[in-house]
mmCIF file of all heavy atoms in Angstrom:
data_model
loop_
_atom_site.group_PDB
_atom_site.id
_atom_site.type_symbol
_atom_site.label_atom_id
_atom_site.label_comp_id
_atom_site.label_asym_id
_atom_site.label_seq_id
_atom_site.Cartn_x
_atom_site.Cartn_y
_atom_site.Cartn_z
ATOM 1 N N ILE A 144 13.363 0.751 9.839
ATOM 2 C CA ILE A 144 12.441 1.790 9.424
ATOM 3 C C ILE A 144 12.728 2.252 7.947
ATOM 4 O O ILE A 144 13.860 2.220 7.524
ATOM 5 C CB ILE A 144 12.480 3.023 10.346
ATOM 6 C CG1 ILE A 144 13.824 3.750 10.244
ATOM 7 C CG2 ILE A 144 12.200 2.614 11.795
ATOM 8 C CD1 ILE A 144 13.803 5.138 10.859
ATOM 9 N N ALA A 146 13.390 4.796 5.084
ATOM 10 C CA ALA A 146 14.235 6.032 5.142
ATOM 11 C C ALA A 146 13.389 7.254 5.167
ATOM 12 O O ALA A 146 13.823 8.313 5.723
ATOM 13 C CB ALA A 146 15.181 6.072 3.916
ATOM 14 N N TYR A 153 11.253 8.631 13.643
ATOM 15 C CA TYR A 153 12.640 8.890 13.934
ATOM 16 C C TYR A 153 12.895 9.223 15.410
ATOM 17 O O TYR A 153 13.913 8.784 15.994
ATOM 18 C CB TYR A 153 13.165 10.038 13.041
ATOM 19 C CG TYR A 153 13.671 9.551 11.699
ATOM 20 C CD1 TYR A 153 12.889 9.706 10.563
ATOM 21 C CD2 TYR A 153 14.867 8.930 11.578
ATOM 22 C CE1 TYR A 153 13.328 9.233 9.341
ATOM 23 C CE2 TYR A 153 15.343 8.442 10.355
ATOM 24 C CZ TYR A 153 14.533 8.604 9.211
ATOM 25 O OH TYR A 153 15.021 8.166 8.039
ATOM 26 N N CYS A 156 13.064 6.233 17.440
ATOM 27 C CA CYS A 156 14.390 5.582 17.301
ATOM 28 C C CYS A 156 15.393 6.131 18.256
ATOM 29 O O CYS A 156 16.304 5.437 18.668
ATOM 30 C CB CYS A 156 14.908 5.754 15.851
ATOM 31 S SG CYS A 156 13.852 4.873 14.646
ATOM 32 N N ALA A 161 16.784 -0.464 21.089
ATOM 33 C CA ALA A 161 17.002 -1.411 19.996
ATOM 34 C C ALA A 161 18.023 -0.862 19.009
ATOM 35 O O ALA A 161 18.274 0.345 18.998
ATOM 36 C CB ALA A 161 15.715 -1.682 19.302
ATOM 37 N N GLU A 162 18.627 -1.728 18.190
ATOM 38 C CA GLU A 162 19.487 -1.274 17.118
ATOM 39 C C GLU A 162 18.566 -0.896 15.960
ATOM 40 O O GLU A 162 17.702 -1.642 15.554
ATOM 41 C CB GLU A 162 20.390 -2.416 16.624
ATOM 42 C CG GLU A 162 21.625 -2.547 17.459
ATOM 43 C CD GLU A 162 22.638 -3.516 16.831
ATOM 44 O OE1 GLU A 162 22.405 -4.094 15.739
ATOM 45 O OE2 GLU A 162 23.703 -3.640 17.446
ATOM 46 N N VAL A 163 18.817 0.306 15.440
ATOM 47 C CA VAL A 163 17.924 0.824 14.383
ATOM 48 C C VAL A 163 18.667 0.851 13.023
ATOM 49 O O VAL A 163 19.795 1.346 12.957
ATOM 50 C CB VAL A 163 17.466 2.275 14.691
ATOM 51 C CG1 VAL A 163 16.474 2.740 13.647
ATOM 52 C CG2 VAL A 163 16.873 2.352 16.078
ATOM 53 N N VAL A 164 18.019 0.294 12.026
ATOM 54 C CA VAL A 164 18.605 0.341 10.677
ATOM 55 C C VAL A 164 17.555 0.864 9.724
ATOM 56 O O VAL A 164 16.364 0.526 9.843
ATOM 57 C CB VAL A 164 19.073 -1.032 10.249
ATOM 58 C CG1 VAL A 164 19.537 -1.059 8.822
ATOM 59 C CG2 VAL A 164 20.218 -1.534 11.159
ATOM 60 N N ARG A 165 17.979 1.768 8.823
ATOM 61 C CA ARG A 165 17.043 2.298 7.812
ATOM 62 C C ARG A 165 17.143 1.479 6.543
ATOM 63 O O ARG A 165 18.210 1.053 6.175
ATOM 64 C CB ARG A 165 17.438 3.742 7.424
ATOM 65 C CG ARG A 165 17.376 4.730 8.492
ATOM 66 C CD ARG A 165 18.243 5.968 8.038
ATOM 67 N NE ARG A 165 17.493 6.947 7.235
ATOM 68 C CZ ARG A 165 17.962 7.461 6.080
ATOM 69 N NH1 ARG A 165 19.075 7.062 5.581
ATOM 70 N NH2 ARG A 165 17.253 8.422 5.503
ATOM 71 N N PHE A 166 16.037 1.300 5.847
ATOM 72 C CA PHE A 166 16.067 0.715 4.503
ATOM 73 C C PHE A 166 15.552 1.723 3.493
ATOM 74 O O PHE A 166 14.901 2.722 3.853
ATOM 75 C CB PHE A 166 15.319 -0.600 4.439
ATOM 76 C CG PHE A 166 13.834 -0.486 4.904
ATOM 77 C CD1 PHE A 166 12.855 -0.128 4.002
ATOM 78 C CD2 PHE A 166 13.552 -0.773 6.227
ATOM 79 C CE1 PHE A 166 11.531 -0.058 4.430
ATOM 80 C CE2 PHE A 166 12.175 -0.690 6.643
ATOM 81 C CZ PHE A 166 11.193 -0.346 5.735
ATOM 82 N N LYS A 167 15.851 1.460 2.201
ATOM 83 C CA LYS A 167 15.523 2.472 1.176
ATOM 84 C C LYS A 167 14.000 2.581 1.050
ATOM 85 O O LYS A 167 13.248 1.578 1.104
ATOM 86 C CB LYS A 167 16.140 2.073 -0.158
ATOM 87 C CG LYS A 167 17.611 2.315 -0.195
ATOM 88 C CD LYS A 167 18.205 2.098 -1.542
ATOM 89 C CE LYS A 167 19.684 2.324 -1.455
ATOM 90 N NZ LYS A 167 20.384 1.796 -2.629
ATOM 91 N N SER A 173 15.365 -3.807 -0.224
ATOM 92 C CA SER A 173 16.305 -3.185 0.682
ATOM 93 C C SER A 173 16.014 -3.629 2.109
ATOM 94 O O SER A 173 16.949 -3.826 2.912
ATOM 95 C CB SER A 173 16.181 -1.649 0.538
ATOM 96 O OG SER A 173 17.034 -0.993 1.383
ATOM 97 N N ALA A 176 17.329 -7.273 2.435
ATOM 98 C CA ALA A 176 18.769 -7.326 2.615
ATOM 99 C C ALA A 176 19.174 -7.136 4.094
ATOM 100 O O ALA A 176 20.032 -7.810 4.619
ATOM 101 C CB ALA A 176 19.490 -6.329 1.718
ATOM 102 N N ARG A 177 18.504 -6.189 4.701
ATOM 103 C CA ARG A 177 18.836 -5.852 6.114
ATOM 104 C C ARG A 177 18.377 -6.915 7.083
ATOM 105 O O ARG A 177 19.031 -7.237 8.080
ATOM 106 C CB ARG A 177 18.316 -4.445 6.471
ATOM 107 C CG ARG A 177 19.214 -3.385 5.895
ATOM 108 C CD ARG A 177 18.549 -2.055 5.561
ATOM 109 N NE ARG A 177 19.563 -1.152 4.980
ATOM 110 C CZ ARG A 177 19.983 -1.199 3.716
ATOM 111 N NH1 ARG A 177 19.497 -2.094 2.874
ATOM 112 N NH2 ARG A 177 20.916 -0.386 3.244
ATOM 113 N N ARG A 179 18.040 -10.105 6.251
ATOM 114 C CA ARG A 179 18.932 -11.222 5.953
ATOM 115 C C ARG A 179 20.290 -11.075 6.653
ATOM 116 O O ARG A 179 20.771 -11.991 7.264
ATOM 117 C CB ARG A 179 19.170 -11.336 4.422
ATOM 118 C CG ARG A 179 20.257 -12.307 4.027
ATOM 119 C CD ARG A 179 20.493 -12.406 2.520
ATOM 120 N NE ARG A 179 20.725 -11.143 1.843
ATOM 121 C CZ ARG A 179 21.903 -10.433 1.953
ATOM 122 N NH1 ARG A 179 22.912 -10.862 2.711
ATOM 123 N NH2 ARG A 179 22.018 -9.316 1.286
ATOM 124 N N ARG A 180 20.795 -9.822 6.649
ATOM 125 C CA ARG A 180 22.113 -9.592 7.276
ATOM 126 C C ARG A 180 22.079 -9.845 8.809
ATOM 127 O O ARG A 180 23.121 -10.113 9.402
ATOM 128 C CB ARG A 180 22.565 -8.162 7.067
ATOM 129 C CG ARG A 180 23.100 -7.909 5.668
ATOM 130 C CD ARG A 180 23.362 -6.439 5.465
ATOM 131 N NE ARG A 180 23.331 -6.079 4.086
ATOM 132 C CZ ARG A 180 22.938 -4.897 3.603
ATOM 133 N NH1 ARG A 180 22.531 -3.963 4.460
ATOM 134 N NH2 ARG A 180 22.893 -4.656 2.322
ATOM 135 N N PRO A 368 14.731 20.915 2.598
ATOM 136 C CA PRO A 368 15.645 20.161 3.421
ATOM 137 C C PRO A 368 15.931 20.899 4.722
ATOM 138 O O PRO A 368 15.899 22.157 4.699
ATOM 139 C CB PRO A 368 16.917 20.108 2.565
ATOM 140 C CG PRO A 368 16.516 20.545 1.171
ATOM 141 C CD PRO A 368 15.291 21.342 1.321
ATOM 142 N N PRO A 369 16.213 20.252 5.823
ATOM 143 C CA PRO A 369 16.341 18.792 5.968
ATOM 144 C C PRO A 369 15.051 18.044 6.270
ATOM 145 O O PRO A 369 15.081 16.878 6.581
ATOM 146 C CB PRO A 369 17.296 18.696 7.163
ATOM 147 C CG PRO A 369 16.993 19.861 7.999
ATOM 148 C CD PRO A 369 16.500 20.942 7.099
ATOM 149 N N THR A 371 12.841 17.145 4.175
ATOM 150 C CA THR A 371 12.368 16.338 3.038
ATOM 151 C C THR A 371 13.301 15.236 2.676
ATOM 152 O O THR A 371 14.520 15.346 2.907
ATOM 153 C CB THR A 371 12.247 17.280 1.824
ATOM 154 O OG1 THR A 371 13.467 17.993 1.671
ATOM 155 C CG2 THR A 371 11.095 18.265 1.961
ATOM 156 N N PRO A 372 12.791 14.172 2.063
ATOM 157 C CA PRO A 372 13.678 13.103 1.645
ATOM 158 C C PRO A 372 14.546 13.517 0.455
ATOM 159 O O PRO A 372 14.127 14.344 -0.383
ATOM 160 C CB PRO A 372 12.726 11.996 1.227
ATOM 161 C CG PRO A 372 11.400 12.677 0.983
ATOM 162 C CD PRO A 372 11.395 13.850 1.877
ATOM 163 N N ASN A 373 15.762 13.022 0.411
ATOM 164 C CA ASN A 373 16.706 13.233 -0.695
ATOM 165 C C ASN A 373 16.974 14.741 -1.006
ATOM 166 O O ASN A 373 17.297 15.104 -2.127
ATOM 167 C CB ASN A 373 16.203 12.566 -1.977
ATOM 168 C CG ASN A 373 15.965 11.091 -1.776
ATOM 169 O OD1 ASN A 373 16.808 10.406 -1.155
ATOM 170 N ND2 ASN A 373 14.825 10.599 -2.242
ATOM 171 N N GLY A 374 16.813 15.578 0.041
ATOM 172 C CA GLY A 374 17.117 16.988 -0.166
ATOM 173 C C GLY A 374 16.224 17.703 -1.184
ATOM 174 O O GLY A 374 16.611 18.760 -1.660
ATOM 175 N N ASP B 81 24.410 17.235 4.935
ATOM 176 C CA ASP B 81 23.571 17.323 6.150
ATOM 177 C C ASP B 81 23.306 15.907 6.703
ATOM 178 O O ASP B 81 23.694 14.923 6.126
ATOM 179 C CB ASP B 81 22.248 18.045 5.855
ATOM 180 C CG ASP B 81 21.357 17.350 4.849
ATOM 181 O OD1 ASP B 81 21.358 16.126 4.826
ATOM 182 O OD2 ASP B 81 20.681 18.060 4.111
ATOM 183 N N SER B 82 22.685 15.896 7.889
ATOM 184 C CA SER B 82 22.581 14.622 8.616
ATOM 185 C C SER B 82 21.799 13.553 7.820
ATOM 186 O O SER B 82 22.113 12.383 7.873
ATOM 187 C CB SER B 82 21.920 14.864 9.971
ATOM 188 O OG SER B 82 20.680 15.508 9.798
ATOM 189 N N LEU B 83 20.773 14.021 7.083
ATOM 190 C CA LEU B 83 20.008 13.064 6.304
ATOM 191 C C LEU B 83 20.828 12.478 5.199
ATOM 192 O O LEU B 83 20.804 11.292 4.947
ATOM 193 C CB LEU B 83 18.744 13.793 5.761
ATOM 194 C CG LEU B 83 17.660 12.860 5.208
ATOM 195 C CD1 LEU B 83 17.125 11.956 6.277
ATOM 196 C CD2 LEU B 83 16.523 13.679 4.615
ATOM 197 N N ILE B 85 23.983 12.116 5.172
ATOM 198 C CA ILE B 85 24.942 11.207 5.756
ATOM 199 C C ILE B 85 24.309 9.815 5.936
ATOM 200 O O ILE B 85 24.834 8.785 5.557
ATOM 201 C CB ILE B 85 25.463 11.722 7.144
ATOM 202 C CG1 ILE B 85 26.350 12.950 6.930
ATOM 203 C CG2 ILE B 85 26.239 10.590 7.905
ATOM 204 C CD1 ILE B 85 26.844 13.568 8.234
ATOM 205 N N MET B 86 23.056 9.831 6.463
ATOM 206 C CA MET B 86 22.362 8.537 6.652
ATOM 207 C C MET B 86 22.123 7.845 5.301
ATOM 208 O O MET B 86 22.185 6.612 5.207
ATOM 209 C CB MET B 86 21.049 8.745 7.427
ATOM 210 C CG MET B 86 21.327 9.150 8.870
ATOM 211 S SD MET B 86 19.839 8.910 9.885
ATOM 212 C CE MET B 86 18.768 10.145 9.227
ATOM 213 N N ASP B 87 21.840 8.637 4.291
ATOM 214 C CA ASP B 87 21.604 8.035 2.971
ATOM 215 C C ASP B 87 22.872 7.468 2.392
ATOM 216 O O ASP B 87 22.885 6.391 1.800
ATOM 217 C CB ASP B 87 21.039 9.107 1.981
ATOM 218 C CG ASP B 87 19.573 9.478 2.314
ATOM 219 O OD1 ASP B 87 18.924 8.664 3.037
ATOM 220 O OD2 ASP B 87 19.099 10.497 1.850
ATOM 221 N N MET B 88 23.998 8.167 2.653
ATOM 222 C CA MET B 88 25.285 7.620 2.180
ATOM 223 C C MET B 88 25.607 6.319 2.904
ATOM 224 O O MET B 88 26.074 5.348 2.290
ATOM 225 C CB MET B 88 26.421 8.644 2.463
ATOM 226 C CG MET B 88 27.750 8.051 2.241
ATOM 227 S SD MET B 88 29.116 9.085 2.829
ATOM 228 C CE MET B 88 28.923 8.985 4.633
ATOM 229 N N VAL B 89 25.315 6.282 4.205
ATOM 230 C CA VAL B 89 25.552 5.054 4.975
ATOM 231 C C VAL B 89 24.738 3.903 4.360
ATOM 232 O O VAL B 89 25.234 2.789 4.247
ATOM 233 C CB VAL B 89 25.154 5.285 6.461
ATOM 234 C CG1 VAL B 89 25.085 3.939 7.207
ATOM 235 C CG2 VAL B 89 26.197 6.187 7.107
ATOM 236 N N MET B 90 23.532 4.179 3.931
ATOM 237 C CA MET B 90 22.689 3.141 3.369
ATOM 238 C C MET B 90 23.342 2.552 2.073
ATOM 239 O O MET B 90 23.319 1.382 1.859
ATOM 240 C CB MET B 90 21.325 3.725 3.048
ATOM 241 C CG MET B 90 20.165 2.825 3.351
ATOM 242 S SD MET B 90 18.585 3.662 3.571
ATOM 243 C CE MET B 90 18.579 4.913 2.328
ATOM 244 N N GLU B 91 23.927 3.488 1.297
ATOM 245 C CA GLU B 91 24.577 3.018 0.093
ATOM 246 C C GLU B 91 25.827 2.155 0.422
ATOM 247 O O GLU B 91 26.083 1.137 -0.219
ATOM 248 C CB GLU B 91 25.033 4.215 -0.764
ATOM 249 C CG GLU B 91 23.972 5.097 -1.309
ATOM 250 C CD GLU B 91 23.080 4.339 -2.311
ATOM 251 O OE1 GLU B 91 23.531 3.389 -2.899
ATOM 252 O OE2 GLU B 91 21.870 4.757 -2.437
ATOM 253 N N GLU B 93 26.280 0.509 3.159
ATOM 254 C CA GLU B 93 25.754 -0.785 3.681
ATOM 255 C C GLU B 93 25.551 -1.768 2.542
ATOM 256 O O GLU B 93 25.965 -2.969 2.619
ATOM 257 C CB GLU B 93 24.418 -0.576 4.430
ATOM 258 C CG GLU B 93 24.570 0.128 5.751
ATOM 259 C CD GLU B 93 23.200 0.335 6.437
ATOM 260 O OE1 GLU B 93 22.165 0.488 5.719
ATOM 261 O OE2 GLU B 93 23.155 0.339 7.676
ATOM 262 N N ASP B 94 24.862 -1.332 1.502
ATOM 263 C CA ASP B 94 24.568 -2.243 0.414
ATOM 264 C C ASP B 94 25.816 -2.617 -0.398
ATOM 265 O O ASP B 94 25.937 -3.754 -0.816
ATOM 266 C CB ASP B 94 23.496 -1.619 -0.512
ATOM 267 C CG ASP B 94 22.132 -1.585 0.205
ATOM 268 O OD1 ASP B 94 21.912 -2.439 1.083
ATOM 269 O OD2 ASP B 94 21.315 -0.724 -0.157
ATOM 270 N N HIS B 95 26.713 -1.664 -0.527
ATOM 271 C CA HIS B 95 27.958 -1.989 -1.247
ATOM 272 C C HIS B 95 28.751 -3.081 -0.556
ATOM 273 O O HIS B 95 29.294 -3.992 -1.173
ATOM 274 C CB HIS B 95 28.813 -0.737 -1.426
ATOM 275 C CG HIS B 95 30.054 -0.918 -2.185
ATOM 276 N ND1 HIS B 95 30.073 -0.843 -3.575
ATOM 277 C CD2 HIS B 95 31.311 -1.284 -1.839
ATOM 278 C CE1 HIS B 95 31.316 -1.111 -3.980
ATOM 279 N NE2 HIS B 95 32.071 -1.373 -2.947
ATOM 280 N N PHE B 96 28.850 -2.975 0.798
ATOM 281 C CA PHE B 96 29.671 -3.907 1.552
ATOM 282 C C PHE B 96 28.865 -5.047 2.129
ATOM 283 O O PHE B 96 29.422 -5.887 2.829
ATOM 284 C CB PHE B 96 30.480 -3.161 2.607
ATOM 285 C CG PHE B 96 31.502 -2.221 2.094
ATOM 286 C CD1 PHE B 96 31.323 -0.847 2.149
ATOM 287 C CD2 PHE B 96 32.655 -2.710 1.467
ATOM 288 C CE1 PHE B 96 32.285 0.046 1.659
ATOM 289 C CE2 PHE B 96 33.598 -1.841 0.956
ATOM 290 C CZ PHE B 96 33.411 -0.465 1.031
ATOM 291 N N ASP B 97 27.557 -5.034 1.925
ATOM 292 C CA ASP B 97 26.649 -6.035 2.459
ATOM 293 C C ASP B 97 26.780 -6.169 3.995
ATOM 294 O O ASP B 97 26.959 -7.259 4.533
ATOM 295 C CB ASP B 97 26.844 -7.383 1.793
ATOM 296 C CG ASP B 97 25.648 -8.309 1.988
ATOM 297 O OD1 ASP B 97 24.539 -7.775 2.193
ATOM 298 O OD2 ASP B 97 25.830 -9.551 1.951
ATOM 299 N N ILE B 98 26.680 -5.022 4.646
ATOM 300 C CA ILE B 98 26.712 -4.971 6.080
ATOM 301 C C ILE B 98 25.581 -4.015 6.509
ATOM 302 O O ILE B 98 25.034 -3.358 5.669
ATOM 303 C CB ILE B 98 28.024 -4.422 6.658
ATOM 304 C CG1 ILE B 98 28.331 -3.044 5.998
ATOM 305 C CG2 ILE B 98 29.172 -5.389 6.428
ATOM 306 C CD1 ILE B 98 29.482 -2.281 6.581
ATOM 307 N N SER B 99 25.202 -4.037 7.801
ATOM 308 C CA SER B 99 24.301 -3.015 8.328
ATOM 309 C C SER B 99 25.016 -2.203 9.411
ATOM 310 O O SER B 99 25.647 -2.812 10.305
ATOM 311 C CB SER B 99 23.018 -3.637 8.843
ATOM 312 O OG SER B 99 22.231 -4.152 7.788
ATOM 313 N N ILE B 100 24.884 -0.916 9.347
ATOM 314 C CA ILE B 100 25.490 -0.057 10.351
ATOM 315 C C ILE B 100 24.351 0.608 11.110
ATOM 316 O O ILE B 100 23.739 1.527 10.607
ATOM 317 C CB ILE B 100 26.398 1.036 9.726
ATOM 318 C CG1 ILE B 100 27.343 0.423 8.658
ATOM 319 C CG2 ILE B 100 27.185 1.755 10.774
ATOM 320 C CD1 ILE B 100 28.182 1.433 7.904
ATOM 321 N N PRO B 101 24.048 0.194 12.326
ATOM 322 C CA PRO B 101 22.923 0.774 13.077
ATOM 323 C C PRO B 101 23.063 2.262 13.309
ATOM 324 O O PRO B 101 24.180 2.787 13.372
ATOM 325 C CB PRO B 101 22.931 0.008 14.409
ATOM 326 C CG PRO B 101 23.693 -1.237 14.162
ATOM 327 C CD PRO B 101 24.719 -0.901 13.059
ATOM 328 N N MET B 102 21.929 2.963 13.358
ATOM 329 C CA MET B 102 21.967 4.433 13.476
ATOM 330 C C MET B 102 22.726 4.928 14.717
ATOM 331 O O MET B 102 23.343 5.939 14.668
ATOM 332 C CB MET B 102 20.489 4.982 13.499
ATOM 333 C CG MET B 102 19.935 5.158 12.124
ATOM 334 S SD MET B 102 18.136 5.459 12.149
ATOM 335 C CE MET B 102 18.065 7.030 12.985
ATOM 336 N N ASN B 103 22.633 4.151 15.796
ATOM 337 C CA ASN B 103 23.345 4.600 17.010
ATOM 338 C C ASN B 103 24.855 4.489 16.827
ATOM 339 O O ASN B 103 25.592 5.239 17.420
ATOM 340 C CB ASN B 103 22.888 3.835 18.247
ATOM 341 C CG ASN B 103 22.989 2.313 18.072
ATOM 342 O OD1 ASN B 103 22.647 1.811 17.024
ATOM 343 N ND2 ASN B 103 23.467 1.643 19.088
ATOM 344 N N VAL B 104 25.304 3.562 15.999
ATOM 345 C CA VAL B 104 26.739 3.482 15.680
ATOM 346 C C VAL B 104 27.107 4.631 14.746
ATOM 347 O O VAL B 104 28.163 5.259 14.989
ATOM 348 C CB VAL B 104 27.041 2.128 14.972
ATOM 349 C CG1 VAL B 104 28.498 2.075 14.458
ATOM 350 C CG2 VAL B 104 26.747 0.974 15.927
#
Side-chain angles (χ1 to χ4, degrees):
Chain A
I144 67 164
Y153 273 102
C156 294
E162 276 192 359
V163 185
V164 174
R165 296 161 88 228
F166 54 87
K167 287 189 181 163
S173 180
R177 282 152 181 79
R179 170 180 54 73
R180 283 173 203 149
T371 51
N373 305 315
Chain B
D81 65 33
S82 55
L83 194 61
I85 291 178
M86 290 198 293
D87 288 343
M88 170 191 69
V89 166
M90 221 158 40
E91 296 296 335
E93 286 179 331
D94 289 334
H95 182 87
F96 293 108
D97 200 25
I98 53 172
S99 289
I100 314 176
M102 276 167 64
N103 55 318
V104 173

